[in-house]
Amino acid sequence: MRGRDPGEPHRTATSLELLFGLCFVIAVAEASRGLSAAVAGGHAASGALRFALVFFTVWWAWMNLTWFASAYDPDDVPYRLTVLAQITGSLVLAAGVARAFEDGDLRVITLGYAVLRTTLAALWLRAARSDPARRRTALRFAAGVTLCQLGWTALLFVPAQVRLPAILVMIAGELTVPVWAQSAGMTPWHPRHIAERYESFVLIVLGESVAAAAAAVRDAAGRHRDSGALYLLAVGGLLMVFAMWWLYFARPAHTILATTHRAARRRFVWAYGHFPVFASAAAEGAGLAAYAVLTQRHGDAVPLAARAAVTVPVAVFLITVWAVHVRPHRRRGTERFAFPAVAVAVPAAAFAPAPALVAGLLCAALVVVVTRADRASCTGGPVGVHAQEGRRAGGA
């Protein structure tokens, strides 16, 4: 298992990587469903906290194997079996999400996480044996992953009143491991491959948002066929999801990663900064679903917290996409201010009679601004950007 060439041409995700990502849909769906139920039940604040903690475990498990595979994936039988074991761990983790939301029971989710982390440590030990040049880095990863997993297991025996601070300490420890390990030497990850994997996860969480919102609107519309609020919710939700897709894919991520390949701090900012991008996209579906349920119960008198659950995730998505994915391209013009301005304006839509529609229209206006700015700079919009990058790559 020697390191792969970070400049390998035509590097794309394998079918096993795509299967690995798709299996995380279940865990994302369970987390989104738990947040939706919490918002609909009047526990938005506690639900958001539990969602953030649960989603971190999902995202972190996915991200760690993604970066490892980019650097080392040999696609041989032992590696395939190990990744299949990781998929099993992700399914066990997903099975424990509901318990974690309902009563704080972390036993099943910890079991799934243990399978994921143990197999990852085994992969790093294999890399340490096969890649002498990066043995120190691989051993640091294996040691850090193992120690953190022991810490997560120990949390099961911690008193409930101190569990949250202990979880925050563990999260800080997890985030520190890659920084500490790669200070001994960088792994040979592939910029285009990493960009593709992150883009696929964006599609996963956006797809989950569409599915969750559509199911909720369908169920509610079956009982309130004349509810115009539900139709406005559906239109606004689609506008937001479409705009979120458009704005994220308007800039090619691999060009950012290629320029940060030797800049560790900027690389980690991009990689870690995607947590709120992914989490907010998944939370948007939960907010739309909760709003549909509460519209069924209360008509137009939906509580402010549920209205905010529709608008705030979009604002978080916009500001983090701008910070980690758009701003590094150093484009000039109105789009430099348009993203922050819309991100500030969107939460105020919670006070509108149709918050999803107003937020969707604001996001659509931002798409227009970005597209016009692209045309003005002769990039040709989202399609043109990728086409232009493809021509450059083909002529290189």
Side-chain angles (χ1 to χ4, degrees):
M1 187 187 283
R2 295 189 178 275
R4 298 186 62 155
D5 178 10
E8 178 183 345
H10 311 298
R11 175 76 186 277
T12 58
T14 66
S15 58
L16 183 58
E17 286 181 300
L18 296 177
L19 177 62
F20 176 75
L22 286 175
C23 287
F24 273 86
V25 172
I26 301 173
V28 171
E30 288 295 321
S32 179
R33 189 175 297 112
L35 176 59
S36 177
V39 173
H43 308 289
S46 61
L49 177 60
R50 289 190 174 185
F51 172 80
L53 296 177
V54 168
F55 195 88
F56 174 84
T57 64
V58 175
W59 164 75
W60 190 247
W62 172 88
M63 192 184 81
N64 274 261
L65 184 66
T66 294
W67 285 81
F68 179 90
S70 187
Y72 286 105
D73 180 6
D75 198 30
D76 57 10
V77 172
Y79 178 80
R80 289 184 174 191
L81 292 175
T82 306
V83 175
L84 292 177
Q86 286 245 327
I87 290 174
T88 303
S90 73
L91 297 177
V92 175
L93 186 151
V97 169
R99 292 187 181 185
F101 258 102
E102 292 170 4
D103 53 19
D105 185 352
L106 302 179
R107 289 176 295 178
V108 176
I109 203 171
T110 300
L111 175 61
Y113 199 61
V115 174
L116 287 159
R117 306 301 279 165
T118 301
T119 50
L120 180 65
L123 287 173
W124 280 115
L125 289 174
R126 185 183 174 193
R129 184 183 62 182
S130 306
D131 190 2
R134 302 178 182 88
R135 179 169 297 161
R136 188 180 177 191
T137 299
L139 289 175
R140 284 190 177 189
F141 266 114
V145 167
T146 302
L147 287 173
C148 285
Q149 182 51 48
L150 291 174
W152 288 114
T153 304
L155 282 180
L156 297 177
F157 307 97
V158 170
Q161 58 269 27
V162 297
R163 183 169 293 172
L164 178 58
I167 289 175
L168 296 178
V169 170
M170 288 306 308
I171 290 175
E174 291 275 18
L175 295 173
T176 302
V177 169
V179 179
W180 170 64
Q182 296 212 56
S183 65
M186 186 174 62
T187 55
W189 53 274
H190 194 288
R192 283 184 178 271
H193 177 255
I194 288 293
E196 181 186 358
R197 300 299 295 124
Y198 271 64
E199 289 168 354
S200 70
F201 205 78
V202 170
L203 294 176
I204 285 173
V205 292
L206 287 179
E208 172 53 32
S209 288
V210 173
V217 171
R218 178 200 63 207
D219 293 342
R223 299 177 178 87
H224 292 264
R225 299 183 185 277
D226 298 327
S227 177
L230 288 176
Y231 298 115
L232 295 179
L233 175 69
V235 172
L238 282 178
L239 281 175
M240 284 187 284
V241 172
F242 291 166
M244 291 161 75
W245 166 81
W246 192 297
L247 294 168
Y248 183 87
F249 286 91
R251 297 291 178 268
H254 68 268
T255 58
I256 301 173
L257 290 170
T259 59
T260 63
H261 203 273
R262 297 291 179 181
R265 185 183 65 82
R266 291 169 59 193
R267 180 173 71 251
F268 282 113
V269 168
W270 187 90
Y272 289 179
H274 268 73
F275 169 70
V277 173
F278 296 146
S280 60
E284 179 58 31
L288 292 170
Y291 191 93
V293 170
L294 291 173
T295 298
Q296 174 189 342
R297 295 177 186 172
H298 307 294
D300 294 331
V302 176
L304 180 60
R307 293 169 173 269
V310 171
T311 61
V312 171
V314 180
V316 173
F317 180 89
L318 292 178
I319 200 64
T320 50
V321 166
W322 173 77
V324 305
H325 193 64
V326 174
R327 190 169 177 268
H329 284 276
R330 302 183 184 279
R331 297 288 178 87
R332 297 182 179 274
T334 55
E335 69 175 27
R336 295 176 58 193
F337 310 101
F339 268 90
V342 174
V344 170
V346 162
F351 296 95
L357 181 61
V358 174
L361 291 173
L362 287 170
C363 292
L366 179 58
V367 169
V368 173
V369 171
V370 170
T371 304
R372 289 177 63 88
D374 285 338
R375 289 180 177 177
S377 60
C378 301
T379 59
V383 176
V385 169
H386 289 287
Q388 185 178 21
E389 293 298 330
R391 289 193 295 271
R392 289 177 180 173

